[in-house]
Amino acid sequence: MANNLLLLFFLLFSHRIQLGSTLPEQPRQINSNSVLVALLDSHYTELAELVEKALLLPTLEQAVYTYNLTIFAPINEALERDLDPEFNRFLLEPGNIKSLQTLILHHILPTKLTLGDWPTEPTESTRHSALSNDRIEFSCSFSSNHSRSANKYVGAVKVVYPDSIVRPDGIIHGIEKVLIPKSVEHSFNNRRSLRSISAVKPEEAPEIDPRTTHKLLSKKKAKSTTIDAHTPSKLSIYEAMAPAPSLAPAPAPGPGGSHHHFDGERQVKDFIQTLLHYGGYNEMADILVNLTNLATEMGKLISEGYVLTVLAPNDEAMAKLTTEQLSEPGAPEQIVYYHIVPEYQTEESMYNAVRRFGKVAYDTLHVPHKLFAKEADGSVKFVDGEDAAYLFDPDIYTDGRISVQGIDGVLIPPEDKKKEVKIANQNVKNLNKPRRGKLLEVACGLLGAFGHDSQFITCRVK
């Protein structure tokens, strides 16, 4: 009897093991005390938002199950205020999500690194691999000769809040700035051509003094000239435009020099190519290149250090322009000038301005006409009435010098509207004027030849 019971127990136990092996594995639940949960609920809110935008939560959950993590969390000010706005915009573009993921993984080590694991002498350094597969250097330095409290560094960035958050599966250290991997920096530089933005004034270039009838001054004379401190020291963009055979006050140096000066022509070509590749803005690109010489003029302005914002109407809006509007001499130039703002504005800066101030006036290159913008339907609206246009395609091109914003309408300068109304009224007057038929005209002429007054009222109408 005892042997039978033992056999039955053995059979049931073996059957349970086989049944358990066929059951699906239960999904692992992340612990509420995990370092990853602590990061998302911490005061490092900017980094936590980037982790979610980079769609990295599943990857980090898997890393928490496999390793103990060390997270170097940049303080919020480092991401909000200190990070270059252009670089921040680059990271948040959907096409650059790989760069954003690499940047975040560069801040995470697959090992738990406490303060005791740092080098203790300034001459020493160690390296650890991050989840981005990059090697990061760790070092220390003493704040003064009298103090033996060492400052900890990750690369060249100081650890300002060591052991900020400690959990069983990881640790978070607060750092002063963002760690940028070389691969991400390289991708950003290739995308935005940053070298052409860091311009230096050419040596021995002639100086133009707008306060002394725009005469060219030699360097020695310019230094000795007494000038009122309240007078601007630089030509305005309008003075740079005219009167002169070219828009720029002096020829720009080439981009091949040792200081990498502005190459305005290249940047203008770049933004026009971007318009063409973006699609829906072929008409605007055609006017800039083929119908006018505005592309060359804009390139000269950029080479001299000016910045421009182009409000580009899409093809659907440009198709509404009539032949009369474009056939008058200088009309295409004046229309495009009205769409160019001599400031560097992005969709974010314009929207924030109209949200804050209600209505904002922007200067244009079509002097003295201004563009008025306001907030409407969650976007920026330019001008009122039938000719209103909305900011339709934001930040088509932004390189720090030229900003291109797509709009869904053509903005007509006020004086051109008056001409259109005058022509329309003239056409209406001609339509209302009574016209005589050809046969009645001949009859009236014959009566007049014989010296008879016609009784027909129509013959008296002139």
PDB file of all heavy atoms in Angstrom, residues 201 206-217 222 225 227-228 230-240 249 306:
ATOM      1  N   LYS A 201      35.025  88.116 -38.623  1.00  0.00           N
ATOM      2  CA  LYS A 201      35.176  89.259 -39.510  1.00  0.00           C
ATOM      3  C   LYS A 201      36.516  89.170 -40.244  1.00  0.00           C
ATOM      4  O   LYS A 201      37.547  88.932 -39.634  1.00  0.00           O
ATOM      5  CB  LYS A 201      35.125  90.563 -38.697  1.00  0.00           C
ATOM      6  CG  LYS A 201      35.039  91.789 -39.592  1.00  0.00           C
ATOM      7  CD  LYS A 201      34.844  93.025 -38.758  1.00  0.00           C
ATOM      8  CE  LYS A 201      34.704  94.238 -39.664  1.00  0.00           C
ATOM      9  NZ  LYS A 201      34.515  95.462 -38.893  1.00  0.00           N
ATOM     10  N   PRO A 206      37.619  96.604 -45.501  1.00  0.00           N
ATOM     11  CA  PRO A 206      37.245  98.004 -45.309  1.00  0.00           C
ATOM     12  C   PRO A 206      36.038  98.114 -44.404  1.00  0.00           C
ATOM     13  O   PRO A 206      35.159  97.253 -44.419  1.00  0.00           O
ATOM     14  CB  PRO A 206      36.912  98.476 -46.732  1.00  0.00           C
ATOM     15  CG  PRO A 206      36.563  97.229 -47.469  1.00  0.00           C
ATOM     16  CD  PRO A 206      37.394  96.137 -46.872  1.00  0.00           C
ATOM     17  N   GLU A 207      35.989  99.149 -43.599  1.00  0.00           N
ATOM     18  CA  GLU A 207      34.870  99.374 -42.693  1.00  0.00           C
ATOM     19  C   GLU A 207      33.973 100.462 -43.256  1.00  0.00           C
ATOM     20  O   GLU A 207      34.448 101.450 -43.816  1.00  0.00           O
ATOM     21  CB  GLU A 207      35.376  99.777 -41.308  1.00  0.00           C
ATOM     22  CG  GLU A 207      36.131  98.658 -40.606  1.00  0.00           C
ATOM     23  CD  GLU A 207      36.426  99.007 -39.165  1.00  0.00           C
ATOM     24  OE1 GLU A 207      35.968 100.085 -38.735  1.00  0.00           O
ATOM     25  OE2 GLU A 207      37.095  98.224 -38.484  1.00  0.00           O
ATOM     26  N   ILE A 208      32.677 100.273 -43.088  1.00  0.00           N
ATOM     27  CA  ILE A 208      31.714 101.263 -43.555  1.00  0.00           C
ATOM     28  C   ILE A 208      31.095 101.926 -42.348  1.00  0.00           C
ATOM     29  O   ILE A 208      30.579 101.257 -41.450  1.00  0.00           O
ATOM     30  CB  ILE A 208      30.620 100.607 -44.418  1.00  0.00           C
ATOM     31  CG1 ILE A 208      31.248 100.033 -45.679  1.00  0.00           C
ATOM     32  CG2 ILE A 208      29.534 101.594 -44.753  1.00  0.00           C
ATOM     33  CD1 ILE A 208      30.272  99.402 -46.618  1.00  0.00           C
ATOM     34  N   ASP A 209      31.172 103.237 -42.306  1.00  0.00           N
ATOM     35  CA  ASP A 209      30.613 103.987 -41.187  1.00  0.00           C
ATOM     36  C   ASP A 209      29.309 104.622 -41.636  1.00  0.00           C
ATOM     37  O   ASP A 209      29.307 105.594 -42.399  1.00  0.00           O
ATOM     38  CB  ASP A 209      31.599 105.070 -40.740  1.00  0.00           C
ATOM     39  CG  ASP A 209      31.111 105.777 -39.481  1.00  0.00           C
ATOM     40  OD1 ASP A 209      30.012 105.414 -39.013  1.00  0.00           O
ATOM     41  OD2 ASP A 209      31.810 106.673 -39.007  1.00  0.00           O
ATOM     42  N   PRO A 210      28.152 104.104 -41.228  1.00  0.00           N
ATOM     43  CA  PRO A 210      26.872 104.641 -41.684  1.00  0.00           C
ATOM     44  C   PRO A 210      26.584 106.031 -41.151  1.00  0.00           C
ATOM     45  O   PRO A 210      25.654 106.678 -41.591  1.00  0.00           O
ATOM     46  CB  PRO A 210      25.856 103.621 -41.150  1.00  0.00           C
ATOM     47  CG  PRO A 210      26.535 103.002 -39.980  1.00  0.00           C
ATOM     48  CD  PRO A 210      27.987 103.000 -40.297  1.00  0.00           C
ATOM     49  N   ARG A 211      27.370 106.517 -40.192  1.00  0.00           N
ATOM     50  CA  ARG A 211      27.091 107.825 -39.604  1.00  0.00           C
ATOM     51  C   ARG A 211      27.858 108.936 -40.299  1.00  0.00           C
ATOM     52  O   ARG A 211      27.694 110.103 -39.988  1.00  0.00           O
ATOM     53  CB  ARG A 211      27.453 107.805 -38.114  1.00  0.00           C
ATOM     54  CG  ARG A 211      26.566 106.841 -37.349  1.00  0.00           C
ATOM     55  CD  ARG A 211      27.304 106.136 -36.266  1.00  0.00           C
ATOM     56  NE  ARG A 211      28.346 105.296 -36.818  1.00  0.00           N
ATOM     57  CZ  ARG A 211      28.986 104.398 -36.121  1.00  0.00           C
ATOM     58  NH1 ARG A 211      28.717 104.239 -34.866  1.00  0.00           N
ATOM     59  NH2 ARG A 211      29.927 103.656 -36.663  1.00  0.00           N
ATOM     60  N   THR A 212      28.739 108.588 -41.224  1.00  0.00           N
ATOM     61  CA  THR A 212      29.489 109.614 -41.952  1.00  0.00           C
ATOM     62  C   THR A 212      29.283 109.417 -43.448  1.00  0.00           C
ATOM     63  O   THR A 212      30.213 109.097 -44.195  1.00  0.00           O
ATOM     64  CB  THR A 212      30.985 109.544 -41.607  1.00  0.00           C
ATOM     65  OG1 THR A 212      31.437 108.207 -41.886  1.00  0.00           O
ATOM     66  CG2 THR A 212      31.243 109.877 -40.162  1.00  0.00           C
ATOM     67  N   THR A 213      28.031 109.526 -43.863  1.00  0.00           N
ATOM     68  CA  THR A 213      27.598 109.419 -45.274  1.00  0.00           C
ATOM     69  C   THR A 213      28.093 108.141 -45.938  1.00  0.00           C
ATOM     70  O   THR A 213      28.393 108.124 -47.131  1.00  0.00           O
ATOM     71  CB  THR A 213      28.071 110.648 -46.093  1.00  0.00           C
ATOM     72  OG1 THR A 213      29.510 110.626 -46.135  1.00  0.00           O
ATOM     73  CG2 THR A 213      27.589 111.936 -45.508  1.00  0.00           C
ATOM     74  N   HIS A 214      28.214 107.085 -45.145  1.00  0.00           N
ATOM     75  CA  HIS A 214      28.538 105.757 -45.656  1.00  0.00           C
ATOM     76  C   HIS A 214      29.868 105.717 -46.397  1.00  0.00           C
ATOM     77  O   HIS A 214      30.023 105.012 -47.393  1.00  0.00           O
ATOM     78  CB  HIS A 214      27.431 105.243 -46.572  1.00  0.00           C
ATOM     79  CG  HIS A 214      26.130 105.091 -45.858  1.00  0.00           C
ATOM     80  ND1 HIS A 214      24.993 104.704 -46.481  1.00  0.00           N
ATOM     81  CD2 HIS A 214      25.778 105.306 -44.559  1.00  0.00           C
ATOM     82  CE1 HIS A 214      24.001 104.661 -45.631  1.00  0.00           C
ATOM     83  NE2 HIS A 214      24.458 105.027 -44.467  1.00  0.00           N
ATOM     84  N   LYS A 215      30.839 106.472 -45.951  1.00  0.00           N
ATOM     85  CA  LYS A 215      32.148 106.453 -46.599  1.00  0.00           C
ATOM     86  C   LYS A 215      32.973 105.275 -46.083  1.00  0.00           C
ATOM     87  O   LYS A 215      32.847 104.860 -44.954  1.00  0.00           O
ATOM     88  CB  LYS A 215      32.905 107.760 -46.323  1.00  0.00           C
ATOM     89  CG  LYS A 215      32.266 108.971 -47.001  1.00  0.00           C
ATOM     90  CD  LYS A 215      33.063 110.216 -46.667  1.00  0.00           C
ATOM     91  CE  LYS A 215      32.438 111.444 -47.322  1.00  0.00           C
ATOM     92  NZ  LYS A 215      33.161 112.680 -46.981  1.00  0.00           N
ATOM     93  N   LEU A 216      33.851 104.797 -46.959  1.00  0.00           N
ATOM     94  CA  LEU A 216      34.777 103.762 -46.539  1.00  0.00           C
ATOM     95  C   LEU A 216      35.890 104.388 -45.727  1.00  0.00           C
ATOM     96  O   LEU A 216      36.458 105.407 -46.123  1.00  0.00           O
ATOM     97  CB  LEU A 216      35.372 103.054 -47.758  1.00  0.00           C
ATOM     98  CG  LEU A 216      34.424 102.119 -48.523  1.00  0.00           C
ATOM     99  CD1 LEU A 216      35.129 101.626 -49.781  1.00  0.00           C
ATOM    100  CD2 LEU A 216      34.034 100.942 -47.666  1.00  0.00           C
ATOM    101  N   LEU A 217      36.189 103.813 -44.587  1.00  0.00           N
ATOM    102  CA  LEU A 217      37.247 104.333 -43.728  1.00  0.00           C
ATOM    103  C   LEU A 217      38.343 103.301 -43.610  1.00  0.00           C
ATOM    104  O   LEU A 217      38.078 102.109 -43.532  1.00  0.00           O
ATOM    105  CB  LEU A 217      36.696 104.629 -42.322  1.00  0.00           C
ATOM    106  CG  LEU A 217      35.519 105.612 -42.246  1.00  0.00           C
ATOM    107  CD1 LEU A 217      35.042 105.673 -40.810  1.00  0.00           C
ATOM    108  CD2 LEU A 217      35.914 106.977 -42.728  1.00  0.00           C
ATOM    109  N   ALA A 222      39.385 104.856 -38.903  1.00  0.00           N
ATOM    110  CA  ALA A 222      38.150 104.451 -38.213  1.00  0.00           C
ATOM    111  C   ALA A 222      38.343 104.413 -36.714  1.00  0.00           C
ATOM    112  O   ALA A 222      37.460 104.781 -35.957  1.00  0.00           O
ATOM    113  CB  ALA A 222      37.701 103.083 -38.722  1.00  0.00           C
ATOM    114  N   THR A 225      38.307 108.048 -35.290  1.00  0.00           N
ATOM    115  CA  THR A 225      37.113 108.859 -35.490  1.00  0.00           C
ATOM    116  C   THR A 225      36.240 108.822 -34.242  1.00  0.00           C
ATOM    117  O   THR A 225      35.973 107.759 -33.689  1.00  0.00           O
ATOM    118  CB  THR A 225      36.306 108.337 -36.689  1.00  0.00           C
ATOM    119  OG1 THR A 225      37.172 108.296 -37.818  1.00  0.00           O
ATOM    120  CG2 THR A 225      35.110 109.231 -36.977  1.00  0.00           C
ATOM    121  N   ILE A 227      32.765 108.955 -32.516  1.00  0.00           N
ATOM    122  CA  ILE A 227      31.405 108.641 -32.928  1.00  0.00           C
ATOM    123  C   ILE A 227      30.511 108.623 -31.706  1.00  0.00           C
ATOM    124  O   ILE A 227      30.896 108.177 -30.634  1.00  0.00           O
ATOM    125  CB  ILE A 227      31.349 107.272 -33.638  1.00  0.00           C
ATOM    126  CG1 ILE A 227      32.207 107.310 -34.908  1.00  0.00           C
ATOM    127  CG2 ILE A 227      29.930 106.883 -33.986  1.00  0.00           C
ATOM    128  CD1 ILE A 227      32.360 105.956 -35.584  1.00  0.00           C
ATOM    129  N   ASP A 228      29.310 109.122 -31.898  1.00  0.00           N
ATOM    130  CA  ASP A 228      28.343 109.141 -30.811  1.00  0.00           C
ATOM    131  C   ASP A 228      28.022 107.707 -30.381  1.00  0.00           C
ATOM    132  O   ASP A 228      27.758 106.841 -31.209  1.00  0.00           O
ATOM    133  CB  ASP A 228      27.064 109.852 -31.281  1.00  0.00           C
ATOM    134  CG  ASP A 228      26.043 109.971 -30.161  1.00  0.00           C
ATOM    135  OD1 ASP A 228      26.394 109.656 -28.992  1.00  0.00           O
ATOM    136  OD2 ASP A 228      24.920 110.378 -30.440  1.00  0.00           O
ATOM    137  N   HIS A 230      25.481 106.537 -29.028  1.00  0.00           N
ATOM    138  CA  HIS A 230      24.098 106.115 -29.204  1.00  0.00           C
ATOM    139  C   HIS A 230      23.790 105.770 -30.656  1.00  0.00           C
ATOM    140  O   HIS A 230      22.696 105.312 -30.963  1.00  0.00           O
ATOM    141  CB  HIS A 230      23.139 107.216 -28.736  1.00  0.00           C
ATOM    142  CG  HIS A 230      23.280 107.527 -27.270  1.00  0.00           C
ATOM    143  ND1 HIS A 230      22.844 106.675 -26.285  1.00  0.00           N
ATOM    144  CD2 HIS A 230      23.844 108.585 -26.637  1.00  0.00           C
ATOM    145  CE1 HIS A 230      23.101 107.207 -25.087  1.00  0.00           C
ATOM    146  NE2 HIS A 230      23.716 108.366 -25.291  1.00  0.00           N
ATOM    147  N   THR A 231      24.731 105.994 -31.547  1.00  0.00           N
ATOM    148  CA  THR A 231      24.510 105.702 -32.950  1.00  0.00           C
ATOM    149  C   THR A 231      24.853 104.249 -33.228  1.00  0.00           C
ATOM    150  O   THR A 231      25.862 103.763 -32.756  1.00  0.00           O
ATOM    151  CB  THR A 231      25.402 106.615 -33.825  1.00  0.00           C
ATOM    152  OG1 THR A 231      25.227 107.947 -33.397  1.00  0.00           O
ATOM    153  CG2 THR A 231      25.014 106.479 -35.292  1.00  0.00           C
ATOM    154  N   PRO A 232      24.017 103.538 -33.992  1.00  0.00           N
ATOM    155  CA  PRO A 232      24.321 102.130 -34.246  1.00  0.00           C
ATOM    156  C   PRO A 232      25.622 101.978 -35.010  1.00  0.00           C
ATOM    157  O   PRO A 232      25.979 102.783 -35.853  1.00  0.00           O
ATOM    158  CB  PRO A 232      23.127 101.662 -35.087  1.00  0.00           C
ATOM    159  CG  PRO A 232      22.519 102.901 -35.646  1.00  0.00           C
ATOM    160  CD  PRO A 232      22.784 103.979 -34.652  1.00  0.00           C
ATOM    161  N   SER A 233      26.338 100.907 -34.710  1.00  0.00           N
ATOM    162  CA  SER A 233      27.657 100.709 -35.291  1.00  0.00           C
ATOM    163  C   SER A 233      27.623  99.822 -36.520  1.00  0.00           C
ATOM    164  O   SER A 233      28.660  99.486 -37.053  1.00  0.00           O
ATOM    165  CB  SER A 233      28.580 100.080 -34.248  1.00  0.00           C
ATOM    166  OG  SER A 233      28.049  98.845 -33.832  1.00  0.00           O
ATOM    167  N   LYS A 234      26.452  99.428 -36.959  1.00  0.00           N
ATOM    168  CA  LYS A 234      26.365  98.524 -38.086  1.00  0.00           C
ATOM    169  C   LYS A 234      25.274  98.993 -39.032  1.00  0.00           C
ATOM    170  O   LYS A 234      24.265  99.546 -38.620  1.00  0.00           O
ATOM    171  CB  LYS A 234      26.042  97.104 -37.576  1.00  0.00           C
ATOM    172  CG  LYS A 234      25.879  96.060 -38.663  1.00  0.00           C
ATOM    173  CD  LYS A 234      25.468  94.741 -38.036  1.00  0.00           C
ATOM    174  CE  LYS A 234      25.186  93.703 -39.102  1.00  0.00           C
ATOM    175  NZ  LYS A 234      24.699  92.444 -38.538  1.00  0.00           N
ATOM    176  N   LEU A 235      25.493  98.795 -40.326  1.00  0.00           N
ATOM    177  CA  LEU A 235      24.464  99.133 -41.306  1.00  0.00           C
ATOM    178  C   LEU A 235      23.214  98.296 -41.056  1.00  0.00           C
ATOM    179  O   LEU A 235      23.308  97.102 -40.782  1.00  0.00           O
ATOM    180  CB  LEU A 235      24.976  98.837 -42.717  1.00  0.00           C
ATOM    181  CG  LEU A 235      25.916  99.856 -43.357  1.00  0.00           C
ATOM    182  CD1 LEU A 235      26.440  99.290 -44.653  1.00  0.00           C
ATOM    183  CD2 LEU A 235      25.235 101.165 -43.589  1.00  0.00           C
ATOM    184  N   SER A 236      22.047  98.925 -41.180  1.00  0.00           N
ATOM    185  CA  SER A 236      20.824  98.141 -41.113  1.00  0.00           C
ATOM    186  C   SER A 236      20.702  97.331 -42.391  1.00  0.00           C
ATOM    187  O   SER A 236      21.366  97.600 -43.388  1.00  0.00           O
ATOM    188  CB  SER A 236      19.608  99.058 -40.964  1.00  0.00           C
ATOM    189  OG  SER A 236      19.390  99.765 -42.174  1.00  0.00           O
ATOM    190  N   ILE A 237      19.826  96.357 -42.370  1.00  0.00           N
ATOM    191  CA  ILE A 237      19.677  95.506 -43.549  1.00  0.00           C
ATOM    192  C   ILE A 237      19.138  96.293 -44.726  1.00  0.00           C
ATOM    193  O   ILE A 237      19.429  96.004 -45.885  1.00  0.00           O
ATOM    194  CB  ILE A 237      18.771  94.304 -43.220  1.00  0.00           C
ATOM    195  CG1 ILE A 237      18.863  93.247 -44.324  1.00  0.00           C
ATOM    196  CG2 ILE A 237      17.330  94.736 -43.009  1.00  0.00           C
ATOM    197  CD1 ILE A 237      18.220  91.940 -43.981  1.00  0.00           C
ATOM    198  N   TYR A 238      18.360  97.366 -44.448  1.00  0.00           N
ATOM    199  CA  TYR A 238      17.812  98.170 -45.540  1.00  0.00           C
ATOM    200  C   TYR A 238      18.899  99.013 -46.190  1.00  0.00           C
ATOM    201  O   TYR A 238      18.917  99.205 -47.402  1.00  0.00           O
ATOM    202  CB  TYR A 238      16.686  99.052 -45.001  1.00  0.00           C
ATOM    203  CG  TYR A 238      15.658  98.268 -44.241  1.00  0.00           C
ATOM    204  CD1 TYR A 238      15.569  98.326 -42.855  1.00  0.00           C
ATOM    205  CD2 TYR A 238      14.786  97.408 -44.908  1.00  0.00           C
ATOM    206  CE1 TYR A 238      14.643  97.569 -42.156  1.00  0.00           C
ATOM    207  CE2 TYR A 238      13.863  96.653 -44.220  1.00  0.00           C
ATOM    208  CZ  TYR A 238      13.784  96.740 -42.853  1.00  0.00           C
ATOM    209  OH  TYR A 238      12.874  95.983 -42.170  1.00  0.00           O
ATOM    210  N   GLU A 239      19.831  99.543 -45.372  1.00  0.00           N
ATOM    211  CA  GLU A 239      20.945 100.299 -45.924  1.00  0.00           C
ATOM    212  C   GLU A 239      21.872  99.400 -46.714  1.00  0.00           C
ATOM    213  O   GLU A 239      22.517  99.831 -47.664  1.00  0.00           O
ATOM    214  CB  GLU A 239      21.718 100.985 -44.792  1.00  0.00           C
ATOM    215  CG  GLU A 239      20.931 102.114 -44.140  1.00  0.00           C
ATOM    216  CD  GLU A 239      21.630 102.658 -42.904  1.00  0.00           C
ATOM    217  OE1 GLU A 239      22.040 101.814 -42.068  1.00  0.00           O
ATOM    218  OE2 GLU A 239      21.770 103.863 -42.771  1.00  0.00           O
ATOM    219  N   ALA A 240      21.963  98.143 -46.322  1.00  0.00           N
ATOM    220  CA  ALA A 240      22.796  97.204 -47.061  1.00  0.00           C
ATOM    221  C   ALA A 240      22.185  96.845 -48.398  1.00  0.00           C
ATOM    222  O   ALA A 240      22.876  96.418 -49.315  1.00  0.00           O
ATOM    223  CB  ALA A 240      22.999  95.938 -46.240  1.00  0.00           C
ATOM    224  N   PRO A 249      27.202  95.579 -48.544  1.00  0.00           N
ATOM    225  CA  PRO A 249      28.040  96.777 -48.527  1.00  0.00           C
ATOM    226  C   PRO A 249      29.473  96.516 -48.959  1.00  0.00           C
ATOM    227  O   PRO A 249      30.178  97.430 -49.310  1.00  0.00           O
ATOM    228  CB  PRO A 249      27.999  97.222 -47.067  1.00  0.00           C
ATOM    229  CG  PRO A 249      27.673  95.981 -46.307  1.00  0.00           C
ATOM    230  CD  PRO A 249      26.794  95.178 -47.201  1.00  0.00           C
ATOM    231  N   TYR A 306      23.864  88.954 -42.147  1.00  0.00           N
ATOM    232  CA  TYR A 306      22.458  89.201 -41.836  1.00  0.00           C
ATOM    233  C   TYR A 306      21.702  87.876 -41.735  1.00  0.00           C
ATOM    234  O   TYR A 306      22.158  86.842 -42.230  1.00  0.00           O
ATOM    235  CB  TYR A 306      21.819  90.077 -42.917  1.00  0.00           C
ATOM    236  CG  TYR A 306      22.424  91.450 -43.011  1.00  0.00           C
ATOM    237  CD1 TYR A 306      23.373  91.740 -43.983  1.00  0.00           C
ATOM    238  CD2 TYR A 306      22.075  92.447 -42.112  1.00  0.00           C
ATOM    239  CE1 TYR A 306      23.950  92.999 -44.071  1.00  0.00           C
ATOM    240  CE2 TYR A 306      22.645  93.702 -42.184  1.00  0.00           C
ATOM    241  CZ  TYR A 306      23.589  93.976 -43.167  1.00  0.00           C
ATOM    242  OH  TYR A 306      24.157  95.216 -43.234  1.00  0.00           O
TER     243      TYR A 306
END
